[in-house]
Amino acid sequence: MTLAWGDDVCIWFHGLVSGGGGVARLDGGSGCQGGISPVLQVIDEFTKSPDREISTRHIPTPIQTLAKRMHATSHLDVLIKEAQRLWECQIDPQSTMPVSHSVYLKLASLDPEPIDAEVVFFDEAQDASAPMLRILEAHAGRGGRLVLVGDKYQHIYGWAGAMNAIDKLATKYPNESLVLPLCRSYRFGQDIADSGNVFLNAMGAGYSLIGMGPPGEAVGYADTTTVLFRSNLRLIMEILSLVKADPGVKFHVVGGIKDIGYMLNDLAGLFEGRLAKSGELCGFADWEELTEFSETPLGSGYHPLVNLVERMGGAVGGVLRVLNMNESNAKKAEVVLATAHKAKGAQWGSVTLSREFRNVWEASVSTHGDDAAYALPDYEEMALQYVAATRAETLLADSGLVPFVNDHLRLMRFGGTPEGARIMPKARRRPTHVGQPRDSLTTDVSDLANAKTNKYVGSLFDG
């Protein structure tokens, strides 16, 4: 169950704070009013957890943050009670309440029945939910065999509650588990595989990726049909840059633009003094705090859009209209844009990696006078970059990321490498295609809002 955190969260809290009394009415008629979204989000968190009962630990962080800022934390107990009522309704065999797949999976995991099979094959085992892990543990605990297929170095959904079942099951049930790591790829050749190997090496993998596919090329910069980003913020800036260069360009955003629209509205809301509602921005108390973060290496991805919102005075309607130009059919698009998370499992002929991936490595350097200490970024961050670097079939343009990471790892050796870290040998010089870096930081698109010389572009931003 994937639920957007929309305006009804604020409506729900407003109703509680103003004495509206209650979140959702589930007793009669359709019964599910606007406030049902926070209730469903609590149930969603519960169904992904190993817990047997719904409690405050299942309230999503954005909702808790908003409750604290609105001095409404005492009302969170009401949310839990409503979630418990809805859960009982969902699992009632006599109820007509619709349920998602996660509901019956959760029920099956509470007291797992024996699986009528000697061997269970489990794919994508690096990102398992807690209920699925419990079902597999029960099978192995009864002597059943497990074949775990996946790549633990592509474990990128820990933030969403996913668990690396490969390590957990192989450690707990070594005699019942057979691990088959994905160390060969028929998507690309060895040149692109070697780009991925830089990140495998940084994560301490005990093997290297072997490219079994068609010969390809890994370069610094090139014109490609697909661009991958670390964040939605930089993706938005790329769209505006594309439209400024060619108002008729056809672009496709993998996964659609709904979540991006929510985030853009939140940026405008923060600028105007309202609270953010999306998970990506709810941690910022106000616009000043976001602006300060955007000036840091780790927050530099926010900087272009923060400047844009300020220059437009918080009026993002024109930007939203540009985003709505999204071509829903990827085959008709001239360029495909995606975050690395949305790109998981996909592949394209030619791929560019946004320069913002380097920001994570730059933020991992701390200076003390003339000395610098080099550390590894968060494991899941490196896994995300490994995923991004292995989406291309024949051409990968990494915007200088791979040589930069190689240099970072070598400098770690001289600046005090953490115990156990393995350092790649010096990489050969890689060819660089002629062309400008695809870097939204260098692109000023704020004048799109006032474009009068081009009537088409100007009309997109009027009002």
Side-chain angles (χ1 to χ4, degrees):
M1 181 186 295
T2 302
L3 297 160
W5 181 31
D7 290 340
D8 47 359
V9 177
C10 281
I11 293 172
W12 172 74
F13 274 113
H14 177 74
L16 291 179
V17 174
S18 62
V23 183
R25 300 275 70 84
L26 305 173
D27 48 356
S30 59
C32 297
Q33 305 302 321
I36 193 66
S37 177
V39 179
L40 289 173
Q41 290 183 69
V42 171
I43 291 178
D44 182 45
E45 292 295 320
F46 169 64
T47 58
K48 293 186 296 188
S49 76
D51 305 319
R52 300 187 70 89
E53 297 180 352
I54 297 175
S55 68
T56 53
R57 76 172 64 195
H58 305 121
I59 299 176
T61 300
I63 295 180
Q64 294 189 44
T65 301
L66 185 58
K68 291 177 182 177
R69 291 179 182 171
M70 297 184 72
H71 307 290
T73 53
S74 61
H75 297 294
L76 293 177
D77 289 340
V78 178
L79 175 58
I80 294 302
K81 290 179 181 178
E82 293 294 334
Q84 291 168 340
R85 285 208 303 143
L86 180 56
W87 174 251
E88 291 301 323
C89 190
Q90 286 185 323
I91 64 176
D92 182 358
Q94 305 303 317
S95 173
T96 58
M97 177 72 67
V99 300
S100 67
H101 297 299
S102 61
V103 171
Y104 61 76
L105 179 62
K106 178 67 175 182
L107 283 174
S109 72
L110 294 178
D111 296 294
E113 297 288 334
I115 299 176
D116 187 20
E118 294 182 13
V119 181
V120 171
F121 288 79
F122 185 42
D123 195 13
E124 296 292 339
Q126 76 279 353
D127 283 310
S129 66
M132 181 60 73
L133 183 61
R134 175 173 286 178
I135 292 172
L136 294 173
E137 285 179 331
H139 178 70
R142 298 186 181 102
R145 300 296 303 278
L146 299 172
V147 177
L148 306 173
V149 182
D151 186 352
K152 68 179 183 179
Y153 301 108
Q154 293 190 45
H155 173 62
I156 62 173
Y157 292 107
W159 58 271
M163 299 181 178
N164 176 10
I166 295 176
D167 284 348
K168 288 183 178 296
L169 291 170
T171 300
K172 190 173 182 178
Y173 301 100
N175 296 327
E176 290 78 18
S177 303
L178 174 64
V179 178
L180 298 179
L182 298 179
C183 54
R184 295 174 182 266
S185 176
Y186 292 87
R187 176 181 298 153
F188 41 69
Q190 195 58 42
D191 271 8
I192 295 176
D194 284 340
S195 294
N197 282 330
V198 172
F199 301 100
L200 283 179
N201 176 75
M203 290 184 283
Y207 60 85
S208 294
L209 182 63
I210 300 174
M212 305 291 289
E217 189 177 15
V219 302
Y221 303 100
D223 290 329
T224 66
T225 57
T226 301
V227 187
L228 302 185
F229 303 85
R230 179 175 173 265
S231 69
N232 281 321
L233 290 160
R234 193 60 67 87
L235 187 152
I236 292 173
M237 295 304 297
E238 179 70 10
I239 290 175
L240 297 179
S241 179
L242 288 170
V243 173
K244 181 179 181 180
D246 178 5
V249 66
K250 289 187 176 182
F251 62 87
H252 171 78
V253 178
V254 176
I257 62 170
K258 185 177 180 180
D259 290 341
I260 298 175
Y262 285 147
M263 187 196 64
L264 194 59
N265 278 320
D266 265 352
L267 277 171
L270 275 174
F271 179 79
E272 295 170 358
R274 300 193 304 271
L275 296 173
K277 295 171 287 184
S278 64
E280 189 166 350
L281 296 170
C282 72
F284 296 100
D286 50 37
W287 184 255
E288 182 180 1
E289 186 171 295
L290 173 61
T291 301
E292 291 177 355
F293 180 68
S294 72
E295 301 292 341
T296 67
L298 192 58
S300 61
Y302 289 84
H303 191 71
L305 209 51
V306 165
N307 283 344
L308 180 64
V309 171
E310 287 181 340
R311 293 182 185 184
M312 300 178 73
V316 298
V319 179
L320 288 170
R321 286 193 289 276
V322 171
L323 294 180
N324 283 327
M325 294 168 57
N326 178 51
E327 171 58 62
S328 59
N329 187 345
K331 294 182 179 179
K332 294 182 180 181
E334 300 168 63
V335 59
V336 174
L337 310 169
T339 62
H341 280 101
K342 292 291 177 64
K344 177 74 168 64
Q347 60 190 46
W348 296 273
S350 60
V351 173
T352 287
L353 305 184
S354 168
R355 187 197 177 282
E356 66 174 328
F357 288 106
R358 283 174 52 172
N359 297 344
V360 178
W361 293 89
E362 292 171 351
S364 299
V365 181
S366 57
T367 57
H368 307 280
D370 295 333
D371 297 325
Y374 293 80
L376 290 175
D378 177 76
Y379 179 93
E380 198 162 315
E381 187 69 51
M382 292 189 289
L384 184 66
Q385 297 195 12
Y386 173 54
V387 168
T390 53
R391 298 305 99 192
E393 296 172 318
T394 57
L395 176 61
L396 173 68
D398 66 15
S399 301
L401 174 65
V402 170
F404 188 87
V405 173
N406 261 323
D407 287 342
H408 185 100
L409 295 177
R410 284 197 298 272
L411 287 167
M412 280 180 61
R413 171 182 293 170
F414 299 106
T417 305
E419 184 178 355
R422 299 167 59 240
I423 306 301
M424 285 284 284
K426 187 175 180 62
R428 63 181 175 82
R429 182 175 296 277
R430 303 160 73 240
T432 301
H433 281 197
V434 176
Q436 294 299 316
R438 299 205 55 160
D439 182 5
S440 302
L441 274 176
T442 63
T443 306
D444 180 13
V445 297
S446 60
D447 60 328
L448 276 173
N450 300 306
K452 301 302 181 185
T453 56
N454 187 310
K455 294 182 180 180
Y456 178 76
V457 177
S459 67
L460 292 174
F461 289 85
D462 286 344

